[in-house]
């Protein structure tokens, strides 16, 4: 794993947006995997700025988002579809049909997961996956546990994730308790992976991800088995070396 530490969140965001834009410039048909969460907001802001200044175009790109709550109306302001529209999709030239997110309203969630996985395969596979990391070491909604699923699947959210994410819903009771998420195998199949983390609340998870040990208790630690992963942190995370 390659570790890059930037001075602050803005530098981290600019650096990662540049990496993504360069990837798209060298292959306009880049297939991206993108996350939601607080951490990527700055990257999306920078990509939007670069698009508006004519430095990058998403016209031929395909995006697969990592996950979506279940059940949720895609038009619900708290859906990940709405998040992506608000933070990126509505501001750039990515064709709507190229913006893929699992359908949080699918009648049969298992079938929806199979359909999503097939779409990823048919796209030719993910070229670049951008990932956040949860305080509990999750990636996407692949939560710590005895086993991890390889492919897109339905998950029950852990207490830690419900607590971390309930804010916009007003309460834990009001939020969906399940999600559809790419699996560890879907993510590990990406040709290249960039993981971003900002702030001291991520220190423990980042240390475990870089520790040189692999455990399903820290799903992100499995990324150490991938041969092209860059971890980009800001100084506030407080981690400056990588054992993995
Ligand atoms: P965050 O979420 O960027 O909001 O911290 C990351 C995650 O939980 O994967």
């Amino acid at each position: 794993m390659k570790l890059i530490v930037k001075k602050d969140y803005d530098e981290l965001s600019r650096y990662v947006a540049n990496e993504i834009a360069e990837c798209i410039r060298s292959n306009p048909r880049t297939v991206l995997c993108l996350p939601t969460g607080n951490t990527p907001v700055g990257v999306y802001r920078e990509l939007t700025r670069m698009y508006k200044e004519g430095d990058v175009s998403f016209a031929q790109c395909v995006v697969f988002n990592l996950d979506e709550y279940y059940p949720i109306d895609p038009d619900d302001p708290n859906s990940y579809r709405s998040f992506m529209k608000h933070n990126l999709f509505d501001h750039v030239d990515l064709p709507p049909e190229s913006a893929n997110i699992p359908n949080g309203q699918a009648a049969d969630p298992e079938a929806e997961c199979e359909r999503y996985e097939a779409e990823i395969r048919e796209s030719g596979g993910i070229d670049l996956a951008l990932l956040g990391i949860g305080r509990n070491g999750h990636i996407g909604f692949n939560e710590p546990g005895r086993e991890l699923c390889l492919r897109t699947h339905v998950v029950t959210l852990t207490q830690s994730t419900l607590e971390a994410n309930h804010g916009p819903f007003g309460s834990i009771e009001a939020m969906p308790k399940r999600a559809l998420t790419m699996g560890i195998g879907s993510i590990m199949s990406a040709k290249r992976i960039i993981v971003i983390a900002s702030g001291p609340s991520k220190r423990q998870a980042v240390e475990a991800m870089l520790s040189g040990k692999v455990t399903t208790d820290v799903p992100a630690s499995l990324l150490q088995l991938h041969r092209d992963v860059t971890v980009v942190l800001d100084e506030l995370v407080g981690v400056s070396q990588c054992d993995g």
Side-chain angles (χ1 to χ4, degrees):
M1 276 180 154
K2 186 169 154 196
L3 175 64
I4 295 177
V5 181
K6 292 289 169 190
K7 187 165 69 57
D8 56 27
Y9 178 70
D10 286 344
E11 267 201 24
L12 175 157
S13 301
R14 270 195 299 276
Y15 175 82
V16 172
N18 261 312
E19 289 291 300
I20 295 171
E22 263 185 33
C23 182
I24 295 172
R25 281 186 219 112
S26 67
N27 172 17
R29 295 179 187 277
T30 294
V31 179
L32 291 167
C33 162
L34 295 179
T36 50
N38 294 319
T39 319
V41 168
V43 175
Y44 297 152
R45 186 188 60 223
E46 283 300 310
L47 284 173
T48 300
R49 184 187 58 75
M50 292 168 93
Y51 163 70
K52 292 201 164 133
E53 289 174 4
D55 287 338
V56 68
S57 165
F58 297 83
Q60 297 181 69
C61 288
V62 177
V63 170
F64 288 94
N65 259 76
L66 267 177
D67 45 21
E68 176 62 283
Y69 290 117
Y70 187 85
I72 199 161
D73 180 338
D75 291 330
D76 185 300
N78 291 320
S79 75
Y80 283 170
R81 164 73 67 185
S82 296
F83 175 97
M84 290 306 295
K85 280 167 68 72
H86 176 73
N87 284 288
L88 186 69
F89 296 162
D90 282 354
H91 313 295
V92 298
D93 60 347
L94 179 76
E97 65 277 15
S98 303
N100 299 285
I101 300 186
N103 178 4
Q105 246 183 350
D108 180 345
E110 313 283 348
E112 170 60 8
C113 290
E114 274 176 38
R115 182 199 67 78
Y116 200 67
E117 196 67 34
E119 290 265 331
I120 297 172
R121 248 190 337 265
E122 279 157 29
S123 76
I126 293 160
D127 296 303
L128 173 59
L130 176 65
L131 308 174
I133 174 171
R135 275 171 265 183
N136 65 359
H138 74 194
I139 39 175
F141 278 128
N142 295 279
E143 302 285 8
R146 209 166 61 80
E147 291 179 333
L148 292 170
C149 286
L150 289 180
R151 299 296 160 199
T152 305
H153 59 288
V154 184
V155 290
T156 300
L157 300 178
T158 59
Q159 190 61 24
S160 140
T161 297
L162 292 171
E163 280 164 15
N165 290 17
H166 76 273
F169 292 94
S171 69
I172 290 182
E173 291 66 43
M175 76 178 285
K177 304 294 183 299
R178 290 188 289 165
L180 311 180
T181 183
M182 277 188 201
I184 286 289
S186 335
I187 295 167
M188 292 284 280
S189 303
K191 295 186 186 84
R192 181 179 169 204
I193 296 176
I194 299 177
V195 187
I196 49 175
S198 164
S201 68
K202 298 293 171 70
R203 181 174 308 156
Q204 221 183 344
V206 168
E207 278 173 350
M209 169 174 66
L210 302 175
S211 66
K213 295 188 185 129
V214 168
T215 167
T216 56
D217 288 334
V218 182
S221 70
L222 271 86
L223 297 174
Q224 292 170 110
L225 299 170
H226 191 282
R227 59 190 175 79
D228 191 354
V229 179
T230 306
V231 177
V232 188
L233 310 176
D234 64 14
E235 283 180 2
L236 286 173
V237 177
V239 173
S240 56
Q241 83 177 41
C242 170
D243 301 321

